[in-house]
Amino acid sequence: MKMCTMTRNKWMKMIHAVSGLAVLCLLAAACSSDKTVTAFYVSPDGDDLHSGRIDAPFRTVERAQEAVRAYKQIHGLPSGGLVVYLHGGVYPLRQTLRFTQEDSGKTGAPVIYRACPGEEVYFTGGQEIRFEPLTDSEAKARIRVPHDQILQADLRAQGITDFGRRKATGFGRPIEAAPLELFFRGEPMPLARYPNVGEWMHIASVPQTGDSVFGGDERTGRGVHYGRFVWQEDRVAGWRKNDEIWLQGYWTWDWADSYVRVERIDAVAKEFILAQPHGVYGYSPGQRYYAMNILEELDTPGEWFLDREKGLLYFWPPSPAGEGAAFVSVMEDLMVHLDRTEHLQLEGITFEYTRGNVALIEEGCYNTIGGCVIRNTGNDGIRIAGGHHNGVSGCDLYNIGDAGISIQGGDRLTLEPGYNFAVNNHIYRYSRINWTYRPAVMLGGAGNLMAHNRIHDAPHMAVSFSGNDHCLEYNEVYDIAQETGDVGAFYIGRDWTERGNMIRYNYFHHLNGPGLYGVNAVYLDDFASGSTIYGNVFHRAGRAAFIGGGHDNIVTNNVFIDCEASIHLDARGVNWASYYMKGDGDMEMFRKLKAVNPDRPPYSERYPALARLPGFNPGQPKGNLFRSNLSYGGRWRDIEQDVDEVTIEDNYVLREIPSGIDAAAGKLYPEDESILERIHFQKIPFDRIGLYEDEYREK
């Protein structure tokens, strides 16, 4: 991974140098039709019949794209690249903006679509709507709060006829475009619900009749599913129309949420009769959920409801409607697709108000989305699917429906690195629609980088990674797992072969998860093996370095402050999870091992311990090392008694936190610093962790 970082640094320096030169050339260039043109301009007030010169801009990005292609065919690329400058304003998108190989730049001469300096550019998949006082008589009869607080908007009269449909999304379900949403003053508004945001109902019981689809525990009712369950709140019986009522909940486990539709309400039996598909793990008494899309529950400022038959949207604005604009999301398609492009950059653009995903970089190389704002989405922010040296840098992503940045790249069989990256991004309030397994950053494949990101405010995990040789470094993570238990800030699991991952110089702090299992900062779950956890700072980070039965993990040179357990190691492969170790080689763990040919290069050379795994009780964790760590307060270690081998040495452990220790200020070391030398501890570059100032970001 050192080579990955060095390659990226060289490449970024090269791009910065040519970008500065290009700007000077562009501003000086003549723009008449018979002279060399190195820039085009676009403005919402322009005209696509114009020349695209600085004084005669195009109106649409698509027209500028045509001009760039034509220029390249005739003149080739200028030595410093080519820039399309976007003047400030709103650019409505209703279909995908597609870039292909025809739109590519080349080494030292990128093609850049960039907001003009100091101007705000918005690519929007939404439409602004107008409200009027509530007049609909049926709505007045059903809404309980004073009617002068409620406004209505006739969407069909304003040209909006496609409202989308909510699907049964969530854990174990495919990603689907979200239905129409309402945004006011740049923030998503909650659909009318009971109870209100931050409160829950709880399943009273699950009827013990009929056949269980899931074969749950009928004695306790946990995980049993019969397509219905009992509610206990009397107000449910007063919900008049129930053909579009939805429930979202953690139906059996605190790490698996999903949406289910109410087919009908049985007011006599006090039961919700539920449409398929149901929660993946069935339903369990006592589990939490809420009901949504109920006009009678429009009772709190910010809530709204859409009558799909009439096309009327009802809204209780949290502040006077005239003080801010209201938008509804209209676009479902992907907003921007970079399809096998090379050396193409999108810079300084705000993407917002879409029901689906924002951007996809598919294959290609040296493409960058830099200094952009991604917000108010129904699905994912940015996805990188293959290619190499593609990345997201200096972006802000928030109010994201699903995941923030998803990166695939490299080849797991050959271990050829992808060098794709997410660097210096601020990601928060993601997973706001589907709450679990939609992380801020997702890494897969081999040899990719996430560095210097700040991640916070989310219901579940921060980072999910799989594959080999990734580098996760200099990131700050806090206030995640706000609603879920048995969750990791950084999470990987259930594969012996996903090795060589480096987790270093990250700052994990103030992590809390509900329930018995809580939160783990670095969660090497279900036999995850061969990772290194080095030089991180964990402050009130739950169970900090958690090894769940895996092999050959190294935990060294970290600082733990007031953690529930600084280090954890269990032997689940010989007790409660021993079923993973059984079978004739067709079981999940052994299938994955066989698939990478562990006895042949490159795996036999890079990870020689893998080939030996089947020969020595693989359920017993081997080769794990905890060395040269500092631990203050909290609990130092949680080593399960069934573990028969572990190395724990040269650590400095204090039961109390010394008065001079202050994680936020970077004061991490004992007063007597000779202790560091004695345990071979190297100081952590704490001041380099997190966001930094560059051409895309003011820190």
Side-chain angles (χ1 to χ4, degrees):
M1 287 310 302
K2 186 176 181 181
M3 182 173 65
C4 172
T5 304
M6 290 176 62
T7 302
R8 169 175 157 67
N9 289 342
K10 288 182 179 179
W11 173 67
M12 289 301 291
K13 288 178 181 178
M14 176 188 71
I15 292 298
H16 298 170
V18 300
S19 295
L21 177 61
V23 170
L24 294 175
C25 294
L26 294 170
L27 294 178
C31 296
S32 62
S33 59
D34 61 342
K35 295 182 180 179
T36 300
V37 178
T38 54
F40 294 101
Y41 293 82
V42 183
S43 169
D45 299 321
D47 191 320
D48 282 349
L49 296 178
H50 285 170
S51 65
R53 296 178 302 181
I54 190 169
D55 56 346
F58 298 130
R59 182 178 179 84
T60 67
V61 176
E62 290 87 346
R63 178 64 187 91
Q65 182 183 21
E66 293 175 1
V68 169
R69 290 178 174 182
Y71 182 90
K72 287 171 56 183
Q73 285 185 340
I74 297 171
H75 303 287
L77 271 169
S79 59
L82 196 153
V83 178
V84 173
Y85 282 106
L86 305 170
H87 283 293
V90 175
Y91 296 80
L93 289 184
R94 296 297 179 265
Q95 61 184 14
T96 304
L97 182 59
R98 298 185 183 278
F99 296 94
T100 68
Q101 288 180 318
E102 293 180 85
D103 303 296
S104 296
K106 62 183 181 181
T107 301
V111 172
I112 306 172
Y113 287 74
R114 171 186 290 158
C116 287
E119 300 187 35
E120 296 182 351
V121 173
Y122 302 92
F123 284 12
T124 179
Q127 179 175 323
E128 187 172 2
I129 59 172
R130 304 176 305 277
F131 286 99
E132 58 188 24
L134 176 65
T135 59
D136 184 78
S137 58
E138 180 185 3
K140 285 184 173 182
R142 295 173 62 187
I143 295 175
R144 302 183 178 113
V145 298
H147 296 156
D148 61 355
Q149 305 282 354
I150 308 300
L151 303 177
Q152 71 179 43
D154 188 336
L155 297 188
R156 290 196 177 97
Q158 298 182 50
I160 302 169
T161 58
D162 179 3
F163 308 139
R165 284 284 179 182
R166 185 170 301 282
K167 305 291 178 59
T169 57
F171 180 86
R173 306 293 182 201
I175 292 178
E176 302 274 1
L180 176 144
E181 289 189 90
L182 174 66
F183 301 87
F184 180 66
R185 301 186 69 178
E187 295 293 333
M189 297 292 102
L191 195 55
R193 54 171 280 174
Y194 180 82
N196 290 320
V197 174
E199 302 176 71
W200 303 93
M201 292 190 281
H202 294 84
I203 296 175
S205 62
V206 181
Q208 300 297 297
T209 59
D211 296 323
S212 171
V213 174
F214 297 98
D217 186 340
E218 296 194 18
R219 179 180 56 83
T220 64
R222 189 160 188 82
V224 176
H225 163 242
Y226 299 106
R228 65 185 194 271
F229 64 79
V230 176
W231 43 267
Q232 53 190 334
E233 292 78 7
D234 291 338
R235 66 193 299 144
V236 174
W239 297 341
R240 297 186 191 178
K241 291 185 177 181
N242 57 31
D243 57 333
E244 275 295 327
I245 292 176
W246 286 81
L247 312 178
Q248 185 182 18
Y250 297 97
W251 302 116
T252 291
W253 304 110
D254 285 333
W255 41 262
D257 75 298
S258 62
Y259 291 86
V260 293
R261 187 173 65 83
V262 176
E263 193 169 275
R264 63 184 176 89
I265 295 174
D266 186 334
V268 176
K270 300 185 72 172
E271 290 180 355
F272 286 121
I273 313 302
L274 305 170
Q276 294 186 9
H278 300 287
V280 171
Y281 296 107
Y283 304 100
S284 300
Q287 286 298 111
R288 56 203 160 117
Y289 71 99
Y290 74 95
M292 62 190 298
N293 201 40
I294 307 160
L295 182 56
E296 287 83 2
E297 299 301 336
L298 204 169
D299 60 0
T300 302
E303 289 189 330
W304 64 281
F305 176 85
L306 172 61
D307 186 322
R308 291 172 172 272
E309 293 182 3
K310 298 177 180 179
L312 296 178
L313 189 152
Y314 308 105
F315 178 42
W316 185 351
S319 61
E323 293 183 359
F327 284 81
V328 292
S329 54
V330 175
M331 187 177 184
E332 283 194 3
D333 294 337
L334 177 68
M335 296 184 82
V336 179
H337 186 187
L338 277 59
D339 185 3
R340 293 169 175 78
T341 58
E342 300 180 9
H343 298 276
L344 182 66
Q345 297 168 225
L346 306 179
E347 298 183 352
I349 302 166
T350 295
F351 298 88
E352 60 185 359
Y353 304 140
T354 177
R355 300 178 191 173
N357 300 321
V358 170
L360 170 63
I361 302 175
E362 186 173 12
E363 298 296 337
C365 60
Y366 296 100
N367 301 292
T368 304
I369 297 177
C372 292
V373 175
I374 314 294
R375 66 187 184 190
N376 296 326
T377 75
N379 292 145
D380 294 347
I382 301 170
R383 299 178 63 193
I384 298 175
H388 60 91
H389 296 88
N390 297 312
V392 185
S393 181
C395 292
D396 290 348
L397 298 93
Y398 62 94
N399 293 342
I400 307 297
D402 286 314
I405 301 170
S406 175
I407 295 177
Q408 289 286 333
D411 190 319
R412 284 211 62 223
L413 287 181
T414 66
L415 297 180
E416 180 69 23
Y419 300 128
N420 293 332
F421 59 90
V423 174
N424 204 25
N425 302 293
H426 188 187
I427 311 171
Y428 57 104
R429 297 205 301 265
Y430 55 93
S431 301
R432 66 177 183 85
I433 294 178
N434 296 292
W435 296 331
T436 56
Y437 293 92
R438 268 66 169 187
V441 179
M442 185 181 302
L443 291 177
N448 300 305
L449 170 72
M450 66 158 294
H452 292 284
N453 301 287
R454 177 183 293 165
I455 300 170
H456 58 96
D457 287 283
H460 195 229
M461 63 176 57
V463 177
S464 172
F465 63 105
S466 61
N468 300 71
D469 302 336
H470 302 306
C471 188
L472 298 80
E473 62 182 7
Y474 295 104
N475 302 285
E476 180 184 8
V477 179
Y478 59 96
D479 285 341
I480 56 95
Q482 293 174 335
E483 291 183 357
T484 50
D486 194 12
V487 57
F490 284 11
Y491 179 90
I492 185 174
R494 204 165 296 176
D495 194 330
W496 288 316
T497 73
E498 294 179 337
R499 296 184 169 227
N501 296 299
M502 172 64 75
I503 302 160
R504 65 184 177 192
Y505 304 140
N506 301 286
Y507 179 30
F508 302 92
H509 61 102
H510 299 93
L511 308 180
N512 296 284
L516 177 63
Y517 300 106
V519 62
N520 309 308
V522 179
Y523 195 174
L524 307 183
D525 195 15
D526 285 347
F527 318 108
S529 300
S531 286
T532 298
I533 303 172
Y534 177 88
N536 302 279
V537 177
F538 301 89
H539 179 210
R540 295 183 179 174
R543 292 180 295 186
F546 186 105
I547 300 174
H551 305 270
D552 307 313
N553 297 292
I554 298 172
V555 181
T556 183
N557 211 90
N558 302 282
V559 175
F560 303 96
I561 305 171
D562 199 16
C563 295
E564 293 178 16
S566 297
I567 62 173
H568 169 96
L569 175 64
D570 62 57
R572 63 187 62 190
V574 298
N575 45 58
W576 66 267
S578 60
Y579 59 89
Y580 281 108
M581 304 298 118
K582 298 177 181 178
D584 57 2
D586 291 331
M587 300 298 286
E588 178 183 5
M589 297 295 295
F590 294 95
R591 285 200 308 270
K592 292 176 179 178
L593 179 62
K594 184 178 179 180
V596 300
N597 301 311
D599 56 345
R600 299 202 298 268
Y603 277 78
S604 63
E605 296 173 349
R606 293 283 298 282
Y607 317 121
L610 268 179
R612 300 192 297 267
L613 257 181
F616 76 94
N617 187 11
Q620 183 62 248
K622 303 285 187 180
N624 295 294
L625 170 66
F626 302 92
R627 175 185 289 159
S628 303
N629 298 287
L630 303 173
S631 181
Y632 311 116
R635 183 181 181 188
W636 159 231
R637 67 186 204 175
D638 178 18
I639 308 298
E640 193 177 83
Q641 63 180 4
D642 287 344
V643 172
D644 73 352
E645 174 195 307
V646 62
T647 301
I648 305 176
E649 60 187 18
D650 294 336
N651 300 286
Y652 180 70
V653 180
L654 295 177
R655 291 185 177 181
E656 303 296 329
I657 303 173
S659 59
I661 299 300
D662 183 347
K667 297 179 180 179
L668 308 174
Y669 312 116
E671 185 175 348
D672 180 4
E673 292 199 357
S674 67
I675 294 169
L676 304 184
E677 184 176 355
R678 187 163 69 244
I679 68 171
H680 311 291
F681 187 98
Q682 301 294 316
K683 287 190 174 182
I684 297 167
F686 187 80
D687 59 346
R688 292 177 56 193
I689 295 174
L691 302 175
Y692 59 89
E693 187 172 340
D694 65 3
E695 74 277 20
Y696 294 136
R697 175 180 300 287
E698 295 181 4
K699 187 174 180 181

